[in-house]
Amino acid sequence: AIDPQFHENREKVDTHEGHDVWGPVDEPEELGIHGTHVAVDFDLCIADGACLEDCPVDVFEWVDTPDHPESEKKADPANEAQCIDCMLCVDVCPVDAIDVDAG
Ligand code: SF4
Ligand code: F3S
Ligand code: ZN
């Protein structure tokens, strides 16, 4: 599962579409965590798609990640500022790749 303490245990190494990327990143095999309020561990995401289907405010968008060992696309929290903290995405992700900091 995604480390809920990733803010402390990882470093910001980049930004992507206006959100933070938390390392380590070593493309294409290791992609890190995207987002801060809504965080997706790209190295865990298997492209299940439940988060995209269920998010009521369309926070997520697919990004292509060719040659990643788990999946060739990831749910990117492109619109994390729109999140209403409903926690649906956290509940439905089968690999617990998503952390929402509702505090
Ligand atoms: Fe969308 Fe709710 Fe997840 Fe926020 S907590 S990203 S609103 S599904
Ligand atoms: Fe990925 Fe989980 Fe969404 S596997 S596509 S973050 S439901
Ligand atoms: Zn991203």
Side-chain angles (χ1 to χ4, degrees):
I2 186 170
D3 176 6
Q5 307 298 327
F6 72 89
H7 321 77
E8 286 138 44
N9 296 336
R10 293 177 177 236
E11 290 182 14
K12 287 182 198 177
V13 294
D14 202 356
T15 60
H16 175 241
E17 303 288 336
H19 53 259
D20 296 321
V21 179
W22 305 78
V25 171
D26 184 14
E27 294 177 5
E29 296 90 0
E30 194 173 26
L31 299 174
I33 290 175
H34 282 230
T36 298
H37 181 70
V38 180
V40 180
D41 191 325
F42 274 23
D43 295 308
L44 298 177
C45 175
I46 57 171
D48 177 84
C51 58
L52 275 95
E53 288 170 23
D54 288 1
C55 178
V57 291
D58 295 332
V59 162
F60 303 99
E61 295 178 3
W62 289 122
V63 294
D64 292 326
T65 57
D67 299 322
H68 187 270
E70 296 298 338
S71 58
E72 303 241 316
K73 61 181 181 178
K74 306 293 177 183
D76 196 34
N79 306 305
E80 68 173 357
Q82 296 177 16
C83 175
I84 57 170
D85 298 343
C86 73
M87 296 305 201
L88 266 177
C89 59
V90 172
D91 291 341
V92 296
C93 178
V95 291
D96 292 330
I98 306 174
D99 180 75
V100 174
D101 182 7

